[in-house]
Each structure stands twice: as C-alpha cells, then as structure tokens.
Amino acid sequence: MVRANGAVSLRELARVVQTSEVTVRRDVRALEAEGLLDRRHGGAVLPGGFSREPGYPQKTHLAAAEKSAIADLAAGLVEEGDAVVVGAGTTTQELARRLARIPGLTVVTNSLLVAQALAHANRVEVVMTGGTLRGSNYALVGSGAEQSLHGLRVSKAFISGSGLTAERGLSTTNMLSASVDRALVQSASEVIVLADHTKLGADTMFQTVPTEAITRLVTDEHAASEDPTARELDALADCGVQIAVASLGLAAEPAAHPPQLPPSSAVPPRRPVGAPLPNQRRPGQLPPARLAERVR
C-alpha cells in the first residue's frame, strides 16, 4: 500500500488488514528497521518520502473521515459576506463544498478543485489566480499565480500542507506550491491551517507558514488522543496557535458532485462573529485528560 500510494495512515492499514492499530504500529516499526518504509506520526511513507508527494487519487482516500470533520468545523469560521483565500488540497476541497452554502462570499483560490466545488454556488463569487497548472494536485503555481495575488487583502486564509510542527510550522513537499501558499497567506489577516492527525509532527522540505504566523489550527480528535500528536498540539498552543479539534461524530459524508446552493431559507444560521468554535482550546490550554495527567 505504501509503494502504491506513497503514504498511508495507520488507521487505514488497520482497517484493510482487519487488525488493531497496536499491531500495525509494531509491524510498521519492523518494516522501518528493514529499510522498507519510514514511519511518520499516524502513518508511514516510502523511504525518502520526505520529498515525495502522493498524487490526488491517493490523497483523497487518506484520512477521508477526518478531513470531512475538519471541513465541517472550519466552515463555521466563515461569515456571510466574507472574502477569503482557499489553498489547494483535498481538505480545502472538502471545505469549499461547505462554503457553497454561504451567501455573499468571495473566494480567491489557485485550486481547480476548490473552484469546481463552488461552480454551482450562484451567490458565491470565485476568483481564480493565473499560473501554470500542476497536475498532481490540480493547482495553479508559478510567477503568474503569485503576481495575481499581489495587493490582495482578505479576512482569512484557509491552507493545508504536507506536514506541521511547532518548531517549523507548516511545510509542503513542492517548492512551487510552497511559494504560492506563502503568497496566499500574506494576503490574509488570519491564517487558518487545516491539518489532520497524519500531518502533525511531520516536517517536509519547504516551509510554507512559520508557526508564529498561524492564527488557528483545525484538526481531528485523533490528534488530541495519541501521545506524539497530542504533544505537538500542546507545543503549538504554547506558541500561541488557537487549536480547534473536530469530532468525527460530526463529520458529514463528502458530496459526490459539486453541491447546488440551497434556498436562502435552508442556509443554516451562521456563528456570531468572534464566538468560540466547539472544542476550541485557548493558547496553552490542555485538553481535560492531559490536564488531569499533568496535575497528577
């Protein structure tokens, strides 16, 4: 599976081989000792996978339920009439499907997948960057994309990546993608990173956003329940990053096609501006279980 996909999560491996994650983790450790793969927090990659990026078909199946839950929670940060930028990625594609319900929204993106998800949302204006198409993730990159973002100012940037650590921030495996992502976040007042548990603790080649520039991280509940990733969350919170943890019980099924905009009466009430997200942790705040552990 790692050879076919480039990367795979422990949870997915356990599901496929019908065994426990404890067993999978032990076997992955043995395979790493033989030089057949490299372990990452929550998963495994090919040796030398530090600079290798799985293609779009593989990434859509990696932590799919977690990405859906993250998108549900992140959509609550967007208000009617907002102007936002949304970067490329499978998690941001899930977010775009939910943004289609918000009237008066302007979305700037370099992602063909994000634009497609919003194509039938008549009350959402979509602005695409220029640039050269990068086929592996259907994103526009290069100087044309960066120049089209010059002088842009929006309220929020939603961005994903290949890895996230407290020490180095968000990173990705491709230089051109990293450069455009930096241009996207420079246009925003708030930078919101969407990253599932498989990306926490992973450090890839090109830095996109340093930790001090990240306003908020939206991740899934597995990140808070496993020791290595939970420690990374604590370190990020200590650096001033606001942490919001999405429950998988809230995850919606991904739309099979770009969604149609519902009638205005069907648009759910929006969260008041400044209201906290469910499960949001303040900077430096530990989840109850880890707080009790530290008190003991």
Side-chain angles (χ1 to χ4, degrees), residues 85-212:
V85 295
V86 180
T90 51
T91 311
T92 52
Q93 180 187 18
E94 287 296 320
L95 172 64
R97 289 170 175 153
R98 288 136 178 92
L99 296 184
R101 300 176 300 171
I102 304 176
L105 188 65
T106 300
V107 177
V108 181
T109 185
N110 70 319
S111 169
L112 299 186
L113 299 172
V114 168
Q116 182 188 33
L118 294 167
H120 296 281
N122 294 328
R123 289 183 288 175
V124 177
E125 181 179 2
V126 180
V127 179
M128 294 213 62
T129 69
T132 302
L133 178 63
R134 183 168 181 255
S136 62
N137 63 347
Y138 299 93
L140 297 171
V141 298
S143 60
E146 295 173 42
Q147 289 171 9
S148 64
L149 294 166
H150 181 71
L152 179 70
R153 196 64 181 167
V154 298
S155 60
K156 303 175 184 74
F158 293 89
I159 191 167
S160 188
S162 302
L164 176 65
T165 66
E167 180 180 359
R168 193 158 173 255
L170 188 68
S171 60
T172 189
T173 57
N174 181 267
M175 182 174 63
L176 293 175
S177 294
S179 186
V180 175
D181 285 349
R182 283 192 289 269
L184 287 170
V185 301
Q186 286 171 3
S187 68
S189 300
E190 297 180 42
V191 177
I192 300 158
V193 171
L194 311 181
D196 63 72
H197 67 281
T198 66
K199 297 176 181 178
L200 287 185
D203 188 9
T204 55
M205 188 170 292
F206 300 99
Q207 185 191 55
T208 302
V209 189
T211 306
E212 60 270 19

Side-chain angles (χ1 to χ4, degrees), residues 32-113:
E32 183 183 45
E34 296 178 26
L36 297 174
L37 51 75
D38 290 340
R39 285 186 299 157
R40 292 288 183 268
H41 292 309
V45 299
L46 282 175
F50 190 75
S51 61
R52 188 183 189 278
E53 181 182 23
Y56 171 76
Q58 290 78 33
K59 288 191 288 186
T60 56
H61 299 295
L62 187 62
E66 289 86 345
K67 292 173 182 177
S68 182
I70 289 168
D72 286 339
L73 189 55
L77 293 167
V78 182
E79 308 294 337
E80 293 184 16
D82 266 353
V84 302
V85 295
V86 180
T90 51
T91 311
T92 52
Q93 180 187 18
E94 287 296 320
L95 172 64
R97 289 170 175 153
R98 288 136 178 92
L99 296 184
R101 300 176 300 171
I102 304 176
L105 188 65
T106 300
V107 177
V108 181
T109 185
N110 70 319
S111 169
L112 299 186
L113 299 172

